[in-house]
């Protein structure tokens, strides 16, 4: 497994086998999940009273500034708390949010933590090893604050490019999401913490998130979002699954026996517990449907998993069995993660190592979208104009439960324009980092970019203009459209007109439209880059680092090209604002339009060229691929050689796609490698393709089936780069 985790940067040719999803799969099921904890949990549960069992399946909202209820003195302000069962030596459960670091709970705790780049940035790194390192660091910091459950592992697919939480998700592709997400979860579980995986499932938009009904067929579901969950689950073995707010094919996700009992617990034999999202429970019957725990019960209409439930279990044997099963599952996850034997110890943590890792992650994720010779910048550049994006103060971050406050406190903290959450910039100024790269003779000027005329005036007097453009996204609110907000398009257009040497640096939560694309000389996507963002951006601008990221999502040229040109029901102002309301009318969001063809697969199906394709990203050096071959067998293997034949060290992400399977056209990423190579170095890569990714879901009895026939694969630098085509016969395979 470590071969997947490490990047290779040695000169000369080397051989490494990189598995894409195989390790989890190869161990088989359900043995992969079996652990000593099963027996221990069962014997502990038998000794419990029903009141003690009930304690395990409920939790208290633990924001100390928000709850009226008196909380035990040792509660740390956070997302939720479950009391210990002292009689049996069962420790308390203390939960904090991820996935971008230990969250600050909307300001109720200001003790600081490492603010990592957004999950989408991590997806852009295509680097499972980096995901593991971040997961481990997050867990270390969380444990040092006394937590033993990390609410991380957001693996919903980016189905809706305007989705407010896309920055908390990894990509639009199930394989990329599953592997990178799975490694982050695995790191947390390896650190004696329970990790969640969330939000199960189809929580792809915030508009009406408590009430919309995601419509999707069983087959399409298994070949898209559910596949991402399944892959991440097999790799990461999360102790808890968090069900989503929305409805799926009718029932609420947290009350859906189809999702929780039939698919998760029966088909996939998931041994962990299902916890609700915060205020997602609608009644006692959710327990019967497969929900094991009501989270932060004060936030729901009632604490359903409370005395009423206890009363009901006295006459309803099936419900009583579910209560026992729920308690046992929680205990099992606690024992499996080692929470009994390795209690979290509150202690100080040196923030430096976290900061260094955050900067490394930012470097690994920056995507160079366009470069007409403008980059890297020369360090002896004379007159530089930096414009916009509060680049003098810091880098933007996303809002909501995942918001982290770094130890230094925010550079900017302002109201979020009608949104519940606040807009925060981390203290990592790109302007300062650019200044540090320049010689003493350089003249560096900064303009806020509020007025096109002022920005253009300053740009006209510079040799190069670097303009920072931001798109703030937050939990609870979708973007109304994909344009850069606050008139930034006009500022960029004016600057580009005034200075032909204009470079745009984007700090966005996801894809945006770029009407000025042809007027600027370079475009760089830095995402929400975390506490190391400023120096990382400057390193890539000046070529001290090669841009190592590749797009984890398609950037469309127009919203008309999307499966849903308009966000579902965003034209209803009530629903638009009421992402927190459970009482507004429900509405359908029809994911059967694209089915499993999410993102680039939709564009391929429609034959539409996007602005920038999934997988795209430029380097400062040049890589060539050769000897691409696909070998059939029990598992399909691909082999090729990648060579850095440019004149400097750099990183690349060679990607293998299938575009025709046994006569059926359709594009799918099936394998990739993240490679760092010195100038002149090459690497022989061997990858194994997971049959679930190559096949189609048939039914719960059959599982995924790879159809026999002629296949067409290609190896390229993006989904839109069908070079190195390889045609071969593939035999049928099955996988469950
Ligand atoms: C979010 C979850 C989060 C929870 C606890 C909810 O609003 O959807 O992702 O873990 O709050 O903060």
């Amino acid at each position: 497994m470590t071969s997947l985790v490490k990047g290779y940067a040695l000169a000369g040719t080397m051989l490494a086998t990189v598995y894409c999803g195989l390790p989890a799969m190869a161990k088989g099921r359900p043995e992969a999940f079996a652990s000593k904890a099963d027996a221990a949990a069962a014997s502990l549960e038998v000794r419990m009273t029903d009141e003690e069992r009930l304690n395990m399946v409920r939790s208290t909202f633990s924001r100390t500034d928000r709850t009226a209820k008196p909380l035990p003195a040792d509660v740390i302000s956070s997302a939720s708390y479950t009391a210990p069962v002292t009689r049996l030596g069962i420790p308390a459960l203390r939960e904090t949010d991820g996935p971008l670091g230990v969250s600050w709970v909307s300001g109720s705790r200001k003790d600081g933590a490492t603010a990592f780049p957004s999950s989408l940035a991590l997806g852009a790194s295509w680097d499972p090893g980096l995901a593991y390192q971040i997961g481990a660091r997050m867990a270390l910091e969380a444990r040092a604050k006394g937590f033993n459950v990390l609410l991380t592992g957001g693996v919903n697919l980016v189905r809706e490019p305007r989705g407010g939480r896309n920055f908390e998700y990894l990509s639009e592709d199930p394989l990329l999401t599953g592997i990178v997400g799975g490694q982050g979860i695995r790191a947390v579980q390896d650190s004696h913490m329970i990790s969640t995986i969330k939000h199960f499932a189809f929580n792809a938009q915030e508009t009406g998130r408590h009430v919309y009904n995601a419509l999707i067929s069983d087959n399409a579901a298994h070949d898209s979002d559910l596949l991402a969950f399944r892959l991440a689950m097999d790799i990461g073995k999360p102790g808890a699954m968090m069900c989503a707010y929305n409805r799926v094919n009718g029932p609420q996700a947290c009350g859906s026996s189809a999702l929780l009992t039939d698919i998760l617990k029966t088909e996939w034999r998931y041994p962990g517990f299902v916890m609700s999202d915060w205020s997602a429970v609608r009644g006692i019957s959710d327990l019967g449907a497969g929900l094991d725990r009501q989270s932060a019960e004060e936030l729901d209409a009632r604490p359903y998993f409370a005395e009423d439930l206890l009363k009901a279990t006295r006459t309803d044997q099936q419900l009583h069995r579910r209560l026992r099963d729920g308690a046992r599952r929680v205990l099992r996850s606690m024992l499996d993660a080692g929470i009994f034997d390795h209690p979290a110890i509150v202690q100080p943590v040196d923030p430096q190592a976290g900061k260094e890792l955050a900067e490394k992650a930012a470097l690994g994720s920056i995507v160079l979208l366009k470069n007409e010779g403008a980059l890297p910048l020369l360090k002896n550049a004379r007159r530089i104009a930096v414009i916009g994006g509060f680049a003098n103060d810091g880098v933007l971050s996303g809002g909501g439960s995942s918001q982290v406050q770094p130890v230094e406190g925010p550079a900017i903290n302002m109201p979020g324009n009608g949104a519940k959450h606040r807009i925060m910039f981390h203290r990592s100024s790109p302007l300062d980092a650019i200044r540090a790269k320049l010689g003493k003779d350089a003249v560096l000027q900064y303009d806020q970019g509020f007025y096109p005329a002022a920005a253009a005036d300053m740009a006209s007097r510079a040799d190069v203009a670097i303009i920072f453009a931001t798109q703030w996204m937050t939990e609870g609110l979708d973007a109304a459209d994909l344009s850069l907000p606050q008139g930034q398009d006009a500022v960029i257009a004016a600057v580009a007109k005034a200075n032909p040497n204009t470079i745009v640096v984007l700090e966005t939560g996801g894809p945006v439209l770029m009407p000025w694309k042809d007027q600027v000389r370079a475009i760089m996507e830095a995402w929400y880059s975390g506490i190391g963002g400023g120096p990382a951006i400057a390193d890539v601008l000046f070529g001290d680092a090669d841009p190592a990221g590749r797009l984890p999502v398609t950037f469309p040229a127009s919203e008309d090209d999307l499966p849903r040109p308009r966000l579902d029901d965003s034209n209803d102002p009530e629903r638009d604002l009421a992402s927190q309301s459970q009482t507004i009318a429900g509405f359908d969001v029809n994911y059967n339009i694209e089915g499993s063809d999410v993102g680039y697969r939709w564009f391929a199906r429609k034959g539409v060229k996007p602005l920038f394709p999934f997988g795209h990203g430029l380097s400062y050096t040049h890589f060539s691929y050769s000897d691409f071959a696909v070998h059939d067998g029990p598992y399909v293997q691909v082999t090729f050689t990648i060579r850095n034949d440019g004149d400097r060290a750099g990183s690349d992400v060679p990607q293998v796609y299938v575009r025709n399977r046994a006569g059926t056209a359709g594009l799918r990423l099936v394998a990739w490698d993240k490679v760092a190579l010195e100038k002149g170095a090459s690497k022989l890569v061997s990858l194994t393709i997971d049959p679930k990714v190559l096949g189609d879901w048939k039914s719960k009895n059959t599982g995924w089936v790879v159809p026999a026939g002629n296949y067409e694969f290609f190896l390229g630098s993006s989904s839109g780069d069908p070079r190195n085509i390889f045609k071969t016969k593939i035999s049928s395979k099955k996988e469950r």
Side-chain angles (χ1 to χ4, degrees):
M1 194 60 227
T2 41
S3 56
L4 174 74
V5 166
K6 288 266 178 296
Y8 293 91
L10 298 180
T13 300
M14 54 181 301
L15 170 67
T17 302
V18 178
Y19 301 99
C20 278
L22 186 66
M25 174 188 74
K27 283 190 193 156
R29 304 188 58 78
E31 296 73 20
F33 263 95
S35 84
K36 284 193 301 213
D38 292 306
S43 70
L44 196 52
E45 186 276 328
V46 178
R47 292 159 56 205
M48 290 180 127
T49 63
D50 278 349
E51 284 73 13
E52 287 165 343
R53 290 178 178 122
L54 183 69
N55 178 73
M56 302 313 296
V57 301
R58 64 196 291 194
S59 85
T60 291
F61 188 42
S62 57
R63 263 193 74 165
T64 46
D65 61 335
R66 278 285 173 86
T67 157
K69 202 161 144 181
L71 291 167
D74 65 336
V75 167
I76 319 156
S77 192
S78 66
S80 119
Y81 169 84
T82 292
V85 181
T86 345
R87 183 180 78 85
L88 296 170
I90 300 169
L93 284 174
R94 301 168 199 278
E95 309 186 352
T96 182
D97 265 301
L100 318 183
V102 183
S103 87
W104 80 320
V105 207
S106 304
S108 88
R109 237 193 33 251
K110 297 189 177 61
D111 50 354
T114 303
F116 288 102
S118 63
S119 295
L120 200 62
L122 187 58
S125 77
W126 295 61
D127 188 344
L130 183 62
Y132 189 93
Q133 288 177 355
I134 292 177
R137 175 70 197 190
M138 240 179 355
L140 179 141
E141 293 186 15
R143 277 171 57 81
K145 293 180 195 298
F147 295 109
N148 52 17
V149 181
L150 199 53
L151 308 172
T152 182
V155 298
N156 298 78
L157 292 190
V158 176
R159 251 179 205 272
E160 171 47 72
R162 290 153 296 216
R165 298 186 86 173
N166 288 344
F167 73 92
E168 288 187 62
Y169 301 143
L170 292 147
S171 85
E172 65 190 22
D173 180 77
L175 183 66
L176 180 56
T177 295
I179 290 185
V180 176
Q183 288 299 339
I185 293 168
R186 194 170 76 96
V188 176
Q189 290 282 146
D190 285 352
S191 310
H192 305 304
M193 287 193 88
I194 291 176
S195 173
T196 52
I197 178 169
K198 66 189 187 181
H199 311 86
F200 196 59
F202 301 100
N203 186 177
Q205 70 176 52
E206 295 298 280
T207 301
R209 68 174 176 173
H210 284 276
V211 297
Y212 78 79
N213 181 25
L215 295 176
I216 183 136
S217 75
D218 197 38
N219 294 51
H222 277 85
D223 287 335
S224 58
D225 296 57
L226 296 189
L227 181 56
F229 273 94
R230 171 65 193 274
L231 295 171
M233 209 176 89
D234 284 359
I235 294 170
K237 301 183 177 54
M241 170 73 84
M242 189 190 294
C243 49
Y245 283 127
N246 49 285
R247 292 153 60 198
V248 180
N249 294 326
Q252 295 292 145
C254 288
S256 166
S257 56
L259 268 184
L260 307 184
T261 302
D262 300 349
I263 294 176
L264 183 66
K265 292 181 177 173
T266 312
E267 235 171 75
W268 296 352
R269 299 181 205 170
Y270 178 63
F273 69 98
V274 180
M275 66 162 77
S276 69
D277 201 340
W278 274 229
S279 75
V281 182
R282 300 297 169 90
I284 288 176
S285 60
D286 289 357
L287 179 73
L291 176 68
D292 296 303
R293 200 192 67 152
Q294 179 175 19
S295 305
E297 59 191 23
E298 297 79 1
L299 301 186
D300 282 306
R302 296 194 52 185
Y304 299 107
F305 287 25
E307 284 61 37
D308 287 359
L309 175 65
L310 214 50
K311 222 192 279 156
T313 57
R314 295 209 176 100
T315 49
D316 184 335
Q317 276 187 13
Q318 213 173 330
L319 207 59
H320 189 246
R321 274 200 295 276
R322 277 294 298 121
L323 170 65
R324 292 192 57 182
D325 181 47
R328 187 193 53 76
R329 282 171 176 272
V330 175
L331 290 170
R332 190 239 175 242
S333 291
M334 293 172 74
L335 288 156
D336 186 50
I339 284 177
F340 283 66
D341 297 338
H342 305 272
I345 295 165
V346 178
Q347 54 190 317
V349 168
D350 173 14
Q352 194 49 32
K355 236 183 185 169
E356 283 164 19
L357 181 58
E359 189 173 330
K360 175 177 158 187
L363 274 175
S365 71
I366 291 173
V367 184
L368 184 58
L369 293 170
K370 168 178 174 171
N371 187 16
E372 283 174 357
L375 295 176
L377 285 167
L378 297 174
K379 289 193 178 149
N380 59 5
R382 274 274 297 133
R383 293 172 307 164
I384 299 188
V386 175
I387 296 156
F390 296 96
N392 56 330
D393 287 305
V395 289
L396 183 60
S397 62
S401 59
S402 68
Q403 178 83 61
V404 177
Q405 176 181 251
V407 183
E408 303 83 344
I412 299 175
N413 178 352
M414 59 188 174
N417 263 343
K420 197 175 136 213
H421 301 286
R422 299 181 70 81
I423 302 176
M424 286 172 64
F425 282 71
H426 295 319
R427 237 173 245 280
S428 182
S429 156
L431 184 69
D432 290 350
I434 290 170
R435 184 178 290 116
K437 300 270 183 205
L438 294 169
K440 347 186 248 318
D441 295 342
V443 180
L444 181 64
Q445 287 192 302
Y446 178 72
D447 179 86
Q448 295 279 23
F450 290 166
Y451 296 97
D457 182 48
M458 204 181 87
S460 70
R461 286 178 276 109
D463 301 320
V464 56
I466 308 171
I467 176 156
F468 287 78
T470 60
Q471 177 211 36
W472 182 67
M473 300 285 269
T474 178
E475 178 177 348
L477 194 69
D478 297 315
D481 60 43
L482 291 182
S483 302
L484 283 170
Q486 286 140 352
Q488 294 176 94
D489 283 335
V491 180
I492 298 173
V495 168
K497 204 163 162 207
N499 189 324
N501 203 17
T502 291
I503 294 157
V504 177
V505 179
L506 296 166
E507 295 179 37
T508 67
V512 287
L513 301 176
M514 303 178 206
W516 34 261
K517 177 186 157 225
D518 295 338
Q519 276 84 60
V520 302
R521 280 189 72 204
I523 307 169
M524 202 171 109
E525 174 59 87
W527 315 106
Y528 302 152
S529 52
I531 193 59
I537 290 169
D539 275 359
V540 177
L541 283 174
F542 286 90
D544 291 328
D546 194 41
R550 302 293 183 265
L551 287 184
V553 286
T554 304
F555 275 48
S558 156
E559 285 174 74
D560 292 338
D561 298 337
L562 298 173
R564 279 164 296 284
R566 304 287 151 264
L567 187 69
D568 264 326
D569 278 280
S570 62
N571 55 359
D572 179 333
E574 186 195 17
R575 282 176 192 156
D576 207 16
L577 292 173
S579 73
Q580 296 304 328
S581 168
Q582 296 186 356
T583 53
I584 57 170
F587 56 96
D588 291 340
V589 180
N590 187 8
Y591 293 136
N592 285 315
I593 297 174
E594 73 276 26
S596 61
D597 287 332
V598 179
Y600 67 92
R601 301 186 188 187
W602 170 259
F603 281 77
R605 180 163 123 191
K606 291 285 165 188
V608 173
K609 222 171 132 23
L611 189 65
F612 294 109
F614 171 83
H616 170 74
L618 305 170
S619 157
Y620 291 147
T621 180
H622 181 267
F623 292 94
S624 62
Y625 310 148
S626 58
D627 307 324
F628 177 50
V630 181
H631 320 271
D632 193 22
Y635 294 109
V636 178
Q637 303 264 341
V638 303
T639 49
F640 59 89
T641 300
I642 172 170
R643 184 180 155 80
N644 178 353
D645 51 14
D647 57 7
R648 51 166 293 160
S651 302
D652 194 24
V653 180
Q655 300 153 41
V656 181
Y657 294 85
V658 65
R659 66 173 183 184
N660 196 302
R661 298 173 306 129
T664 307
L667 194 58
R668 289 183 183 187
L669 174 75
V670 292
W672 82 88
D673 195 9
K674 170 101 184 197
V675 189
L677 287 174
E678 294 297 334
K679 151 183 163 186
S682 59
K683 177 185 172 189
L684 181 57
V685 178
S686 168
L687 305 158
T688 303
I689 303 179
D690 188 322
K692 296 192 282 300
V693 174
L694 206 52
D696 301 303
W697 173 260
K698 291 294 174 204
S699 68
K700 65 169 184 281
N701 295 326
T702 317
W704 282 269
V705 175
V706 178
N710 293 319
Y711 278 58
E712 202 173 308
F713 295 88
F714 70 81
L715 165 67
S717 62
S718 83
S719 60
D721 178 32
R723 276 183 282 155
N724 308 292
I725 292 158
F726 194 94
K727 296 181 187 183
T728 189
K729 267 200 166 33
I730 298 290
S731 58
S732 179
K733 298 165 216 319
K734 278 188 187 169
E735 173 73 18
R736 292 193 59 207

